[in-house]
């Protein structure tokens, strides 16, 4: 116990006060006092090593641990080899629960010759505090340790370490040896009680602890062990009483305060738990369990980000502390981070497969992931472990409905009602299961029971009417809605149900009339207005829909949902400015709404207004940090900004939270496409279509990739699936045109490209139109198509290069040179354009040609075409050895290029290596795919 040291007594010749002295006497006294103080300050010698050590010992007798540490460090600063000071410092750190510092000092004490008798137990305790249980177990006392108490206490620590390592057999052996040595020692008896509790021999454990407390009622570890025993048995009030007694015996023991806080948490007394944790923190010491307790409280209060931070601190210090793993998994699950939750809870499950809680949570996670078989296995296991686990039974019922097994669902919800008969929602779930099973009478009976328990449960009324409609009993359905109208004459909900019945009958006018009555009952009612607007939109009556939403806003001007619905109608109607103004109005009303902010940011992205999009999202980023909706719009902004790696990281986080989000995988495909990870792009798109088989953009992107990579069978299959609904879409027209071109139907392809170009003008469509014209032998028209596009889009590099390359292939070299120079003005580092221009001017301007091709090689050092061009330039300059080196490099990159091989043979001839050249030419001539022009050159006399 820490006490305040007494004030040192003043020397007898010093006055205790200057009061009563006057005039000169007082002045003399002041000077005398100052001089004497200066003499003391200037003349006192610094304390010696021994004095510091004695001060530390005195502080320890007063339980002033901090002062003791300071003086021991001072002593060691004068003599690092003071073994006694090292030992005292180590044991003081132990008292402060600082195991790491204690271990460090005790090891140094050992090196300085402190006896094993003094070191063995403190070192074992230092290891134990740090959870270095294997180090504790490895400690072996030498023969010099003759004290039975020391040996017994070491065995107790080793037994507790075996228990911590989940090895009860070894623990029993060790505790048994300790018992033989000192059966009456209170530490041995308390340790044996821990063993018995771990074996669920609770009565024997209690008897042992009672014996200890009878012999020494102030022995705190026995009360601590009793508290743990009560916790094991779920006796939390008794555990609380035992912890309180422990704290009374050791008031400043922070670990005990933390343990009591954990019991308070079990008792849902969170404020008391927080008070204990605050008191524990006053010690200035940090304990992993302190962060654990704060993390658990944060989970219970749905402060999941704070929970994750605290629990991660615990696991950073104690990676194998499974309770922290469990609660971190729970916090991640509640935070929507499904993959992370699955990983953490699976880790916990492997060590605790018989935990109903972890099985229930994993069941919910696998339901979210769509793995119904694994979900069901975990939920069934949870119920086997705890037959009263109602939540797991409910999930099994919902799972059965998902899998189309309503009879099985009925049985589960019957079990739920047997355990929770007073909850309306349980009867509703049973009624819904009967509805799915087409047992209308039983369904209605269950729904009615639900309404008896909760007369405001409107969903049950909907269920009853739905059953009537599904059975074709429309008159009964209408009668029931009329009964509800009498029951709730001031509510519009019964009228909405009646309108739904009329719609089921195909009577739109009656449905409309009923909704108009609802609007008269509650003018501007948002729900009735929306239902009427939906009917108007189905008939393309946009003006009526706008009027209805505007009428609702006159009565509810701050109804953000209605504002956003009106904005959508305005956008569809072509009133883009009005739509944007409405979204901004909604944002003024709810400035922290993620949905509204994301809608406005998406609009800005479509307008290429990146800064505005960023600014809108910045306003909600802090409040909605790590929420799926925020991650998605942030990823879209990153993609639009060209920050593809950042987009990928954001989307990876999104997929962890929403592993079944088709849109997330599609956006990830776009990011990976920009990062040039081709196989991954295809996998992302395939995953998108697995999750959403009708995802149009994913189908289109995958069809393009397959077409580009000549996987025409796959591409055509996707096109066929798009033909009916999306046949007029420009991208579908374009891909269909490419297919027609492959089939030799150039005229049909040209028409398709023209249609695509009318709807969505693009350079690649112009190129394809030109190619189709070339196939139709309309070369000049094809060139004119490219030039026409470039007239309006002079910076389109793809079209400009295609024009230049087309002229090159047509041997219109002068025109090709002109167009290649234009291409290089657009994109100076275009390697293919650099190489092609160099090839064309290699003879007329060899110096410029060499500069151009060297620039290409600086950008792409292994570009075989550029290596070949430079080699020809070197050959023309009568530098065959340099040409050979270049061609050898080109051949290493592309050994199957016949032109490179042919030029390599020519170069070998120039170097008088005729035998090698002849062998190379013979291999070329043996190839059936050798181009005719090269074959003719070889046969014309290049070889003998």
């Amino acid at each position: 116990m820490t006490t305040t040291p007494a004030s040192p007594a003043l020397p007898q010749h010093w006055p205790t006060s200057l009061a009563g002295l006057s005039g000169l006497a007082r002045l003399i006294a002041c000077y005398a006092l100052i001089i004497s103080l200066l003499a003391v300050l200037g003349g006192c010698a610094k304390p010696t090593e021994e004095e510091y050590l004695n001060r530390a010992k005195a502080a320890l007798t007063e339980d002033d641990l901090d002062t003791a540490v300071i003086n021991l460090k001072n002593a060691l600063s004068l003599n690092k080899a003071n073994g006694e000071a090292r030992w005292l410092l180590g044991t003081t750190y132990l008292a402060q629960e600082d195991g790491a510092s204690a271990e460090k000092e005790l090891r140094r004490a050992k090196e300085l010759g402190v006896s094993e008798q003094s070191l063995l137990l403190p070192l074992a305790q230092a290891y134990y505090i740090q959870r270095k249980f294997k180090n504790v177990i490895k400690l072996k006392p030498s023969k010099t340790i003759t004290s039975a108490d020391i040996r017994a206490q070491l065995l107790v620590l080793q037994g507790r370490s075996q228990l911590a390592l989940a090895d009860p057999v070894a623990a029993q052996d060790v505790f048994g040896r300790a018992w033989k040595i000192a059966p009456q020692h209170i530490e041995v008896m308390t340790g044996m009680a821990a063993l018995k509790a771990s074996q669920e021999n609770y009565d024997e454990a209690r008897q042992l602890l009672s014996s200890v407390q009878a012999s020494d009622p102030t022995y705190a570890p026995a009360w601590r062990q009793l508290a743990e025993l009560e916790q094991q048995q779920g006796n939390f009030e008794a555990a609380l009483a035992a912890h309180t007694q422990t704290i009374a015996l050791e008031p400043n023991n922070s670990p005990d305060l933390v343990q009591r806080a954990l019991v308070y948490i079990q008792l849902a007394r969170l404020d008391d738990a927080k008070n204990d944790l605050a008191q524990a923190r006053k010690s200035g010491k940090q304990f992993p369990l302190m962060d654990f307790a704060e993390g658990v409280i944060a989970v219970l209060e749905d402060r999941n980000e704070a929970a994750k931070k605290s629990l991660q601190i615990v696991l950073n210090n104690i990676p194998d502390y499974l309770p922290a793993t469990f609660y971190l998994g729970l916090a991640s699950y509640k935070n929507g981070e499904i993959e992370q939750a699955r990983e953490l809870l699976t880790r916990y499950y492997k060590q605790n497969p018989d935990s109903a809680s972890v099985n229930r949570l994993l069941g919910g996670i696998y339901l979210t992931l769509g793995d119904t078989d694994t979900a069901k296995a975990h939920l069934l296991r949870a119920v086997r472990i705890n037959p009263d686990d109602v939540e797991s039974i409910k999930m099994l019922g919902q799972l059965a409905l998902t899998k189309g097994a309503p009879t099985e669902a009925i049985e589960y919800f019957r079990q739920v009602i047997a355990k929770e008969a007073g909850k309306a929602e349980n009867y509703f779930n049973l009624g819904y299961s009967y509805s799915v099973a087409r047992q209308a009478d039983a369904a209605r009976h269950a729904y009615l029971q639900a309404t008896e328990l909760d007369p405001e449960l409107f969903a049950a009324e909907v269920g009853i009417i739905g059953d009537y409609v599904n059975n074709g009993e429309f008159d009964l359905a209408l009668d029931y809605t009329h009964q509800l109208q009498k029951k709730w004459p001031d509510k519009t909900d019964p009228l909405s149900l009646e309108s739904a019945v009329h719609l089921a009958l195909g009577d739109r006018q009656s449905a409309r009339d009923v909704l108009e009555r609802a609007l008269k009952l509650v003018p501007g009612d948002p729900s009735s207005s929306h239902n009427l607007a939906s009917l108007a939109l189905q008939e393309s009556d946009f003006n009526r829909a706008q009027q209805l939403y505007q009428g609702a806003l006159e009565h509810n001007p701050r109804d953000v949902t209605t504002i956003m619905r009106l904005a959508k109608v305005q956008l569809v109607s072509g009133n883009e400015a009005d739509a944007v103004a409405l979204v901004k109005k909604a944002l003024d009303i709810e400035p922290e709404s993620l949905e509204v902010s994301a809608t406005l940011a998406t609009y800005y992205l479509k307008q290429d207004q990146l800064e505005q999009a960023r600014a809108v999202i910045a306003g909600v980023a802090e409040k909605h940090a790590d929420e799926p909706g925020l991650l998605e719009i942030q990823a879209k902004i990153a993609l639009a900004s060209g920050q593809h790696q950042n987009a990928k990281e954001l989307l990876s986080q999104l997929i962890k939270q929403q592993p079944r989000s088709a849109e997330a995988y599609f956006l990830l495909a776009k990011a990976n496409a920009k990062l040039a990870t081709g196989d991954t792009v295809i996998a992302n798109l395939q995953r998108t279509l697995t999750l959403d088989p009708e995802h149009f953009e994913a189908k289109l992107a995958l069809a393009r990739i397959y077409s580009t990579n000549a996987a025409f069978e796959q591409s055509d299959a996707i096109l066929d699936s798009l033909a009916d609904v999306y046949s007029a879409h420009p991208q579908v027209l374009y891909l269909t045109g490419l297919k027609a071109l492959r089939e030799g139907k150039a005229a049909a392809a040209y028409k398709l490209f023209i249609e695509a170009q009318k709807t969505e003008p693009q350079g690649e469509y112009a190129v394809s139109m030109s190619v189709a014209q070339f196939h139709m032998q309309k070369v000049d028209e094809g060139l004119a198509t490219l030039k026409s596009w470039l007239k309006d889009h002079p910076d389109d590099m793809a079209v400009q290069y295609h024009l230049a390359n087309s002229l090159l292939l047509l041997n219109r070299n002068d025109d090709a040179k002109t167009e290649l120079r234009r291409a290089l003005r657009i994109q100076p580092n275009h390697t293919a354009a650099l190489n092609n221009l160099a090839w064309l001017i290699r003879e007329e301007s060899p110096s410029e040609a060499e500069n151009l091709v060297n620039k290409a090689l600086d950008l792409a050092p292994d570009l075989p075409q550029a290596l070949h061009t430079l080699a020809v330039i070197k050959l023309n300059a009568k530098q065959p050895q340099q040409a050979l080196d270049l061609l050898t490099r080109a051949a290493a990159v592309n050994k199957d290029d016949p032109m490179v091989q042919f030029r390599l043979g020519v170069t070998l001839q120039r170097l008088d290596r005729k035998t090698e050249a002849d062998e190379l030419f013979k291999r070329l001539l043996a190839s059936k795919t050798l181009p005719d022009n090269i074959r003719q050159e070889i046969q014309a006399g290049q070889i003998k």
Side-chain angles (χ1 to χ4, degrees), residues 672-717:
N672 281 323
K674 295 296 184 179
L675 294 169
T677 49
D679 291 343
T680 306
V681 172
I682 293 174
N684 295 154
L685 292 171
Q686 289 172 335
R687 178 64 175 159
T688 302
L689 292 172
T690 298
L691 295 168
D692 180 5
E694 300 306 317
H695 196 293
F696 170 67
E697 290 179 286
K699 281 187 173 184
L700 200 58
L702 198 54
R704 285 182 66 102
I705 291 173
Y706 284 143
S707 179
T708 303
N709 290 280
F712 300 125
E713 185 177 346
Q714 294 95 318
S715 175
D716 292 348

Side-chain angles (χ1 to χ4, degrees), residues 864-895:
Q865 297 91 331
L867 291 167
H868 175 261
T869 298
L870 185 56
V872 171
I873 293 171
K874 295 297 182 183
L875 277 176
N876 291 345
K878 298 183 179 180
Q879 297 173 354
Q881 185 57 53
Q882 291 186 37
L884 181 64
D885 294 341
L886 291 162
L887 291 165
T888 302
R889 283 172 57 194
V893 177
N894 189 358
K895 64 181 179 180

